[in-house]
Amino acid sequence: MELSALTLHEALDLLGSGATTSVALTEAVLGRIDQVEPKVQAYLTLDREGALRQAEAADIRRKNGQNGPLNGLPLAIKDLLCTTTMPTTCGSRMLEHFVAPYDATVVGKLAEAGSVLLGKLAMDEFAMGSTSENCAFQTPHNPWKLGYVAGGSSGGSAAAVAADECFASLGSDTGGSIRQPASLCGTVGMKPTYGRVSRYGLVAFASSLDQIGPLTKDVRDCALMMNVISGFDPHDSTSINLAVPDYTATLQDGLKGITIGMPAEYFGQGLDAEVDKAVRDGIAMLKEAGAEVVEVSLPHTDYCVAVYYLIAPAEASSNLARFDGVRYGFRDTSADSLIEMYNRSRSRGFGDEVKRRILIGTYALSSGYYDAFYKKASQVRTLIKDDFARAFARCDLMVSPVCPTPSWKIGEKADDPLALYLSDILTLSANLAGIPGMSVPCGFSSAGLPIGMQLQAAHFNEEILLRAAHNLEQRAGVAGKKPVIA
């Protein structure tokens, strides 16, 4: 097997035995990037020289017995995590040349663990999108079928992992932006509980919904990444001060005594037949592992899209007000007045989807409409959270599809924002409720495109998600399959 095709835990085993070095692993991944990146287009920034320097330092640490849990492993991150060594563009012209004065907490945690940071990955502008087509610079392709979407907004993060252009990556999930691209690209992706992973240094889209999480080649790698990035951070007022378990410790446990809920609302009209079959086959495998399956109900599911697309744009309208051409970011220098400078800088710096959501959010927060829209959406959000609480009183975790369909052609839905918004209908509710969710591969469509199963659990119960996902992975026979990038 090529070194670039290894999982994190396989690479760690080789490093521990002395069979390879961090420099060799990094060179192999850089060689893979040279080979496939012109077709996949996952990277916005690649720090080749910096990565090799970090790899050399990792080999010295290993020689001196100073190993971190990810020492010498080449990783990449979504381009909305602040870094001092390379630009943080958020996929936008507004921040095209912005270099942050500090590192995000998760970036610091990866560095402390000894990892090698290869670069920053393509994404929808300011994380607003479902296909990464809203990126101002390039659109990543699905490695399983070039010309098809990699998902979004963490499309580059999923595509890079699927194409072996890094061993693992970090993305962010506001309404499914880790789980949906993970499903479309055949990787494992986790959105942790809100507050489990620090958001400090994450450029905000919707602050009450955003959460950072890993995209990996298999479930064990996901657990390894969660061990590193989880934990309390005093810099983040929404960070929860809870002990972090060893997520790898219970992966091998069976599912006897575990009850799995099937939300009836997630298996209805509009679900692709091949997706439905693959997920139901996966559920049968979980039953074989000892789980009991019951039907549960989330009666307010029909309101999730409406609630999300009021709350998220409202928070985005507030968060993105800072990009005014004054303090940092793009500034239109041709303006003759301050108001004109604001207008031109924001009009030229932001793309169409970002401007659309700012307008929706500003309207929802405006005088006379706040109670009718934002306040009402917040009240229904509470009802959605209550639905999950009642469901988890009957089951330990819930299973469903991640996306109603497999991947589709780039450009196919680009002019239909509503169709794109509906592609997230099965993932939005986890963010509204703040619960953990993940996608794990469970099959392929007849066209050879990956299909993922979504697992959701009660707050801070990531362990049971990883355990169930590992059991499915062992039975589904999907892990380890690689796309052929012609």
Side-chain angles (χ1 to χ4, degrees), residues 191 295 446:
K191 183 206 89 70
E295 188 170 290
S446 57

Side-chain angles (χ1 to χ4, degrees), residues 225-242:
M225 290 288 286
M226 283 294 296
N227 282 349
V228 170
I229 66 173
S230 300
F232 176 67
D233 178 14
H235 293 106
D236 177 5
S237 62
T238 62
S239 177
I240 306 298
N241 193 1
L242 283 179

Side-chain angles (χ1 to χ4, degrees), residues 345-420:
S345 296
R346 289 171 67 81
S347 295
R348 291 180 58 193
F350 290 136
D352 289 345
E353 182 60 28
V354 173
K355 286 185 278 193
R356 180 183 293 115
R357 298 199 193 192
I358 289 173
L359 287 169
I360 292 171
T362 302
Y363 184 82
L365 292 174
S366 62
S367 177
Y369 294 99
Y370 176 89
D371 286 348
F373 293 115
Y374 185 78
K375 182 180 178 181
K376 181 65 70 176
S378 298
Q379 291 170 332
V380 179
R381 181 182 187 175
T382 299
L383 297 178
I384 292 168
K385 292 171 69 174
D386 291 344
D387 285 349
F388 278 99
R390 283 189 291 271
F392 287 129
R394 296 190 58 217
C395 63
D396 300 294
L397 70 154
M398 284 187 281
V399 297
S400 72
V402 180
C403 188
T405 68
S407 181
W408 55 92
K409 289 182 180 179
I410 291 173
E412 185 176 324
K413 301 181 183 180
D415 297 326
D416 190 351
L418 183 58
L420 290 174

Side-chain angles (χ1 to χ4, degrees), residues 36-315:
V36 303
E37 179 58 17
K39 299 172 182 176
V40 177
Q41 298 181 42
Y43 279 87
L44 294 182
T45 302
L46 179 63
D47 185 9
R48 190 181 300 270
E49 293 181 1
L52 288 171
R53 285 196 302 271
Q54 293 170 62
E56 290 170 359
D59 284 331
I60 292 171
R61 288 195 300 272
R62 179 170 288 101
K63 191 175 181 180
N64 294 333
Q66 299 172 325
N67 271 336
L70 300 175
N71 192 47
L73 299 181
L75 311 178
I77 60 175
K78 189 175 181 179
D79 200 11
L80 49 45
L81 294 169
C82 288
T83 51
T84 58
T85 57
M86 60 188 86
T88 300
T89 73
C90 293
S92 177
R93 297 289 179 194
M94 182 63 79
L95 292 175
E96 186 171 1
H97 304 294
F98 173 69
V99 178
Y102 63 93
D103 286 327
T105 293
V106 289
V107 173
K109 284 177 175 281
L110 292 180
E112 290 171 13
S115 68
V116 172
L117 181 57
L118 293 164
K120 312 288 280 289
L121 297 163
M123 56 178 284
D124 283 299
E125 183 180 9
F126 285 102
M128 299 182 192
S130 303
T131 61
S132 300
E133 292 172 281
N134 293 327
C135 183
F137 308 110
Q138 64 195 41
T139 298
H141 288 239
N142 194 316
W144 289 92
K145 198 166 187 179
L146 299 177
Y148 279 61
V149 298
S153 62
S154 306
S157 298
V161 173
D164 291 330
E165 293 187 271
C166 59
F167 284 171
S169 68
L170 290 183
S172 69
D173 193 311
T174 308
S177 289
I178 288 173
R179 290 160 288 154
Q180 186 251 32
S183 176
L184 298 186
C185 289
T187 71
V188 174
M190 171 169 277
K191 183 206 89 70
T193 304
Y194 185 81
R196 172 61 90 185
V197 176
S198 171
R199 294 185 303 111
Y200 181 74
L202 169 74
V203 179
F205 162 16
S207 301
S208 74
L209 303 168
D210 299 337
Q211 185 62 182
I212 299 165
L215 294 101
T216 60
K217 297 180 183 181
D218 69 9
V219 175
R220 181 169 292 279
D221 282 4
C222 186
L224 288 170
M225 290 288 286
M226 283 294 296
N227 282 349
V228 170
I229 66 173
S230 300
F232 176 67
D233 178 14
H235 293 106
D236 177 5
S237 62
T238 62
S239 177
I240 306 298
N241 193 1
L242 283 179
V244 178
D246 178 358
Y247 290 111
T248 65
T250 57
L251 289 180
Q252 301 291 346
D253 293 353
L255 298 181
K256 190 173 182 180
I258 299 298
T259 302
I260 293 174
M262 285 180 64
E265 294 81 2
Y266 284 25
F267 289 87
Q269 186 177 2
L271 184 62
D272 179 88
E274 291 185 315
V275 172
D276 184 80
K277 182 180 185 306
V279 173
R280 290 182 186 275
D281 288 347
I283 292 170
M285 294 175 200
L286 294 176
K287 290 179 70 174
E288 290 173 8
E292 178 188 355
V293 177
V294 299
E295 188 170 290
V296 295
S297 180
L298 301 171
H300 292 93
T301 297
D302 286 347
Y303 301 101
C304 286
V305 173
V307 169
Y308 178 87
Y309 281 103
L310 284 168
I311 291 176
E315 295 185 9

